[in-house]
Amino acid sequence: MKQKQVILFGAPGAGKGSQAKYLVKEFGFKHLSTGDILRAEVKKGTELGKRIAIKIDKGELVNDQLILELLKANLDLQQDSYIFDGYPRNIAQAETLCKELLHGSDVVAIYFEIDVQVLVERIVNRLVCPDCQAIYNRVSHPPKVGLICDYCSSPLYQRPDDNEETVINRMKLFHEVTSPVLNFFKERGKLHVVDASQDFDNIRAEIRSIIESV
Ligand code: AMP
């Protein structure tokens, strides 16, 4: 059976991860975040993990071939529907996704459009749960008690690459390298744009109607 695959696009901090979690719960998608897969490899402390960590810490992209291998090991597009979060990040990855991975699945790309200044502000205040991956914000969505996850009580942390210098580098990369991918999907009639400066529930409603309409 043809599976529906959803690609969430947007600069770091645009809210893709939070919405992805909702879509998993609501529609039963599997969440595929290349950033999470890479961080899991770093956590293992392998040689490969060490090389990946250097790239992530600088806010640079990990090489395309490695990403493809990690994806092949982690997904089955004929069997399941996924939310792609953080992939594809450049035109080469978009072409690979279409040629080598999708195998005729229906695909919908959703772009989270938002002002860069708002993003930097959001991202340097972001806190993440290392266990259940819940996402918080020190200012707009703080945890209920101290720096402890509301859902699983694990101590929250700030991603090391969520510092201002790396964030600015990641933004630059997004605009130079990832933005052209938007055109790739636009030309194929697959791109939808949402205003990601709205509150969570409005964005959620928009995404829901996009997914239900395709
Ligand atoms: P993210 O969690 O999506 O913000 O990704 C964190 C970091 O992981 C990025 O800044 C990159 O260094 C790396 N990364 C994540 N996804 C990819 C990808 N598709 N291609 C290359 N590098 C990636």
Side-chain angles (χ1 to χ4, degrees):
M1 196 184 78
K2 261 191 175 182
Q3 298 292 339
K4 196 185 285 181
Q5 312 298 345
V6 178
I7 302 172
L8 303 184
F9 276 115
K16 305 182 297 293
S18 305
Q19 295 293 343
K21 285 187 177 55
Y22 154 73
L23 294 170
V24 167
K25 250 210 237 151
E26 183 76 9
F27 293 96
F29 284 103
K30 292 197 171 172
H31 184 195
L32 196 132
S33 153
T34 40
D36 284 350
I37 295 174
L38 293 167
R39 282 184 287 277
E41 197 61 44
V42 171
K43 221 171 167 182
K44 287 187 208 158
T46 57
E47 270 314 303
L48 177 62
K50 286 179 192 152
R51 280 189 279 132
I52 292 173
I54 294 172
K55 290 287 187 187
I56 293 183
D57 290 346
K58 289 191 197 156
E60 293 173 3
L61 292 186
V62 172
N63 90 58
D64 295 341
Q65 189 54 35
L66 174 62
I67 297 285
L68 178 61
E69 279 162 32
L70 288 172
L71 282 176
K72 282 186 168 163
N74 281 280
L75 53 70
D76 180 351
L77 292 176
Q78 263 144 325
Q79 198 62 35
D80 294 309
S81 285
Y82 290 88
I83 299 291
F84 286 84
D85 169 7
Y87 180 90
R89 277 291 224 274
N90 57 28
I91 292 285
Q93 292 184 4
E95 283 170 351
T96 302
L97 173 68
C98 291
K99 280 195 206 128
E100 296 193 37
L101 298 169
L102 284 180
H103 300 299
S105 299
D106 285 333
V107 60
V108 48
I110 303 176
Y111 175 43
F112 287 52
E113 194 173 47
I114 189 164
D115 184 74
V116 172
Q117 241 352 83
V118 178
L119 282 184
V120 175
E121 192 71 27
R122 255 194 209 178
I123 241 183
V124 295
N125 285 310
R126 177 161 67 179
L127 293 169
V128 185
C129 173
D131 288 320
C132 73
Q133 267 73 47
I135 301 166
Y136 300 83
N137 183 289
R138 287 180 207 274
V139 182
S140 60
H141 173 43
K144 290 188 183 118
V145 184
L147 294 179
I148 301 293
C149 180
D150 295 350
Y151 307 100
C152 69
S153 304
S154 298
L156 302 176
Y157 81 116
Q158 178 167 33
R159 277 172 43 177
D161 58 337
D162 278 353
N163 64 75
E164 198 158 342
E165 195 187 330
T166 308
V167 167
I168 289 171
N169 205 17
R170 284 156 67 202
M171 297 292 174
K172 217 170 133 227
L173 203 64
F174 177 79
H175 287 288
E176 289 170 5
V177 181
T178 307
S179 292
V181 181
L182 296 175
N183 267 336
F184 179 96
F185 287 100
K186 196 172 174 186
E187 283 161 8
R188 286 160 179 77
K190 304 285 187 198
L191 186 70
H192 300 258
V193 180
V194 300
D195 172 4
S197 61
Q198 305 176 83
D199 69 29
F200 183 88
D201 289 343
N202 286 346
I203 302 173
R204 187 172 70 173
E206 268 192 46
I207 293 179
R208 192 193 167 98
S209 71
I210 292 169
I211 291 179
E212 285 174 345
S213 72
V214 290

